Amino acid sequence: MLKDFLGIEFPVIQGGMQYLGVPEFAACVSNAGGAGTINRTCYDNNEDFAAALKKMQSLTDKPYIVNISLLPDANVGDNTIETINICGKYGVKAIETAGTNPKNLVDIIHENNILHIHKVPAVRYALSAQKAGVDAVTVVGYECGGHPGKYDAGSIVLTRKAAKELDIPVIAGGGYADGYGVAAAIAMGAAGVVMGTRFVATKECMLHDNFKKMITQMDENSTLLCQKSINNAFRVADNECARKCLEIEAKGDVTLDKLMPVISGARQVTAYENGDTDYCMFPMGMSAGLVDDIPTVQQLFDNMKAEYADAILNLGR
């Protein structure tokens, strides 16, 4: 289980959460017993990133993760190598990569005494990552917020299939939001779960309250899958911006340039500050249907532990 793999109390990881995966929040997750994640894309350069890790050291002495998104180019640039070396300097427990095959990063990450987790949307990619030498894989199903990949397989099938076929720890993602889900994932052979949407709807998450309230008012049918036309499927909340994106895609002959005025990350940054929930593409998973409150991170973990214990008790009955 993740408790042994990462040295954490409860087998739950906070997802990368672009623009939200910062030390002030990730430390709350680590201090509550899970593994917080800092997203490298939150920082313009490695100097700012190093400052963030230094900040993290001042906020927690518990294990945490750094998420690094890989571009389709399989080459390892100097900037990425420097990022990994900085992680090594500050004692990062694990790096989670996502995107292209991570084989060119495995040795560099291990040379820094860091565990390597790779996120994938299909078991065949998980097998490739295992062959490349990663220490664990995160397998995300169709339900997940953000990028679920091009396949429409749900997390139950992917979690169980990956656990059957791989020899390294499997972390389940997509559709998990409480302790009952954690118990289910572990029952299927996973080492633990990664959650994104559930963590967004917490008091400490550095996001305008309007978005948090929106999540609690949504259900499992309140998401849309956009950007499939450019082979970059993106699950987001059903809002005005997402519907506009689908309108553009429906016209055909779609390019990234045509979509950029709608999907630009700059819109997210603006909306996250001013609270306009219709202005940006807002990554949100189907697990929103399980979220009906906005607790503190510590309260969330206390609740998940109680739910997990209840699930195990129910199995015993």
Side-chain angles (χ1 to χ4, degrees):
M1 287 177 62
L2 286 181
K3 296 166 69 174
D4 300 316
F5 179 68
L6 293 176
I8 58 178
E9 181 186 350
F10 194 67
V12 170
I13 293 172
Q14 164 226 327
M17 296 163 52
Q18 189 172 18
Y19 303 122
L20 303 175
V22 295
E24 291 82 357
F25 183 66
C28 291
V29 176
S30 292
N31 287 333
T37 299
I38 295 175
N39 196 320
R40 174 62 182 83
T41 60
C42 290
Y43 304 96
D44 293 332
N45 53 63
N46 274 325
E47 184 178 28
D48 291 343
F49 174 64
L53 297 194
K54 186 175 181 179
K55 176 71 172 178
M56 189 69 172
Q57 282 189 328
S58 73
L59 297 173
T60 185
D61 59 357
K62 302 294 179 63
Y64 66 96
I65 298 169
V66 167
N67 173 277
I68 300 176
S69 294
L70 304 177
L71 297 174
D73 183 357
N75 294 323
V76 180
D78 291 341
N79 186 66
T80 301
I81 293 174
E82 182 184 14
T83 294
I84 295 169
N85 289 337
I86 291 170
C87 290
K89 176 182 176 181
Y90 285 96
V92 171
K93 183 69 174 182
I95 286 176
E96 179 194 62
T97 54
T100 192
N101 192 309
K103 62 183 179 182
N104 292 335
L105 292 182
V106 172
D107 289 343
I108 301 168
I109 291 173
H110 286 162
E111 287 167 6
N112 278 277
N113 296 312
I114 300 172
L115 295 170
H116 188 176
I117 303 169
H118 187 62
K119 183 187 294 182
V120 298
V123 175
R124 67 189 187 99
Y125 298 130
L127 290 167
S128 295
Q130 176 177 266
K131 184 177 180 180
V134 305
D135 301 293
V137 292
T138 299
V139 181
V140 294
Y142 182 72
E143 305 95 328
C144 79
H147 299 285
K150 61 184 179 181
Y151 304 104
D152 296 347
S155 62
I156 289 180
V157 172
L158 289 182
T159 298
R160 182 63 198 132
K161 184 175 174 64
K164 283 176 61 179
E165 298 193 14
L166 272 73
D167 299 317
I168 57 177
V170 172
I171 302 160
Y176 299 98
D178 58 24
Y180 295 102
V182 176
I186 290 174
M188 289 186 287
V193 306
V194 59
M195 298 179 182
T197 301
R198 172 65 272 192
F199 278 117
V200 174
T202 56
K203 293 188 185 300
E204 294 93 339
C205 184
M206 302 175 77
L207 173 70
H208 198 286
D209 283 349
N210 288 356
F211 285 94
K212 301 177 187 182
K213 292 175 183 176
M214 180 176 73
I215 292 174
T216 65
Q217 295 164 356
M218 297 289 203
D219 63 26
E220 64 275 15
N221 298 309
S222 299
T223 69
L224 296 175
L225 201 57
C226 300
Q227 299 179 198
K228 292 184 73 172
S229 61
I230 57 171
N231 197 31
N232 189 29
F234 193 33
R235 186 172 298 285
V236 294
D238 182 354
N239 64 7
E240 184 177 314
C241 188
R243 291 190 290 272
K244 178 63 176 177
C245 179
L246 290 180
E247 286 177 12
I248 296 172
E249 293 188 77
K251 295 177 181 178
D253 191 27
V254 182
T255 64
L256 179 60
D257 288 341
K258 289 182 179 179
L259 291 180
M260 191 54 67
V262 176
I263 69 174
S264 167
R267 296 177 71 97
Q268 270 182 280
V269 174
T270 298
Y272 283 8
E273 292 179 356
N274 67 24
D276 186 346
T277 58
D278 275 314
Y279 185 70
C280 73
M281 304 283 278
F282 179 54
M284 187 181 81
M286 292 180 177
S287 64
L290 299 171
V291 179
D292 55 15
D293 62 351
I294 306 173
T296 66
V297 171
Q298 185 61 61
Q299 288 170 338
L300 173 61
F301 270 89
D302 291 344
N303 293 340
M304 287 194 294
K305 291 173 186 176
E307 292 161 350
Y308 178 85
D310 187 53
I312 299 302
L313 185 62
N314 286 337
L315 287 174
R317 294 186 183 127

